[in-house]
Amino acid sequence: MRHAFPGGTPALDFPGTLRFRHRTEPREDLDSPASLGAWFREAGITVDDVPAGPADLREALTLREAVHQLVRAAMAGEDYDREALALVNEYARKSTPVPQLTPGGRQVEATVEQGLAYVARDVVLTLSGPDVPLLKECGNPECSQVFVDRSRGARREWCAMDPCGNKIKAAAYRARKRANGLLAARRSGPRSA
Ligand SMILES: [Zn+2]
């Protein structure tokens, strides 16, 4: 798998393909048409990679940023950007991937546009549904992944332990060690008169 799916639903995992948005240089996971084609398969929307070209990728990235805006607005309780809303609704109207039963199992006929329509419908359902108050951004200050926090007492902090939870825990451990080290150095250091 080249992509990560910590959000719990395509509406959150799709904008998550631009990772670490809080860094000056975020990480682009949809860096080629092929990686977009693989995303639909890895997300479970299709069975095979969806054939994709450069124009498909541009289209997908435009929709992705519109989705990102809507998710952020929903979390902040702000008005939706009208253009972003219109674009997502336009895709939600298009036809979605078509599952077919074959002797070899399930096949899914899909173009990139159909895959994006699937994501857009998920955005409509997610942002109009009961999970909106459970949306949370990852506790790693660099990470911008949003997830649905279904944990008891809403205690989930990280999009995923690897890398975010581990990274923050390791940093906290180092900070504790450093603080202890300073304390020890002060205790054993020369006493000035
Ligand atoms: Zn994270």
Side-chain angles (χ1 to χ4, degrees), residues 6 19-20 138-140 142-145 147 157-160 163-165:
R19 304 180 81 185
F20 306 111
C138 178
N140 174 357
E142 289 188 330
C143 180
S144 47
Q145 178 68 50
F147 55 86
E157 287 180 84
W158 324 112
C159 69
C164 290

Side-chain angles (χ1 to χ4, degrees), residues 16-85:
T17 55
L18 185 61
R19 304 180 81 185
F20 306 111
R21 289 173 185 259
H22 300 308
R23 285 183 189 163
T24 25
E25 290 190 21
R27 200 179 95 197
E28 179 59 86
D29 279 359
L30 298 182
D31 54 359
S32 67
S35 78
L36 171 66
W39 188 86
F40 293 112
R41 174 178 53 78
E42 293 181 9
I45 296 170
T46 58
V47 174
D48 300 308
D49 286 17
V50 177
D56 295 314
L57 180 59
R58 280 195 297 277
E59 205 183 317
L61 296 185
T62 305
L63 179 68
R64 180 185 69 183
E65 293 316 296
V67 173
H68 172 70
Q69 284 191 33
L70 298 189
V71 170
R72 293 295 158 150
M75 290 172 75
E78 289 166 0
D79 291 342
Y80 291 130
D81 178 86
R82 294 172 70 127
E83 271 181 46
L85 196 61

Side-chain angles (χ1 to χ4, degrees), residues 55-169:
D56 295 314
L57 180 59
R58 280 195 297 277
E59 205 183 317
L61 296 185
T62 305
L63 179 68
R64 180 185 69 183
E65 293 316 296
V67 173
H68 172 70
Q69 284 191 33
L70 298 189
V71 170
R72 293 295 158 150
M75 290 172 75
E78 289 166 0
D79 291 342
Y80 291 130
D81 178 86
R82 294 172 70 127
E83 271 181 46
L85 196 61
L87 189 66
V88 168
N89 280 333
E90 186 190 320
Y91 275 93
R93 263 185 232 112
K94 296 177 192 279
S95 73
T96 48
V98 180
Q100 297 281 281
L101 189 62
T102 75
R106 183 167 58 102
Q107 284 302 314
V108 179
E109 296 163 6
T111 60
V112 165
E113 187 177 87
Q114 285 174 305
L116 295 178
Y118 184 102
V119 173
R121 288 187 188 190
D122 188 57
V123 174
V124 172
L125 293 177
T126 301
L127 297 188
S128 62
D131 286 343
V132 174
L134 307 180
L135 297 182
K136 198 186 246 187
E137 186 177 57
C138 178
N140 174 357
E142 289 188 330
C143 180
S144 47
Q145 178 68 50
V146 174
F147 55 86
V148 182
D149 185 0
R150 293 205 175 88
S151 66
R152 235 169 65 179
R155 290 222 189 101
R156 181 172 160 194
E157 287 180 84
W158 324 112
C159 69
M161 276 317 283
D162 183 20
C164 290
N166 291 334
K167 191 182 158 186
I168 298 298
K169 286 195 170 157

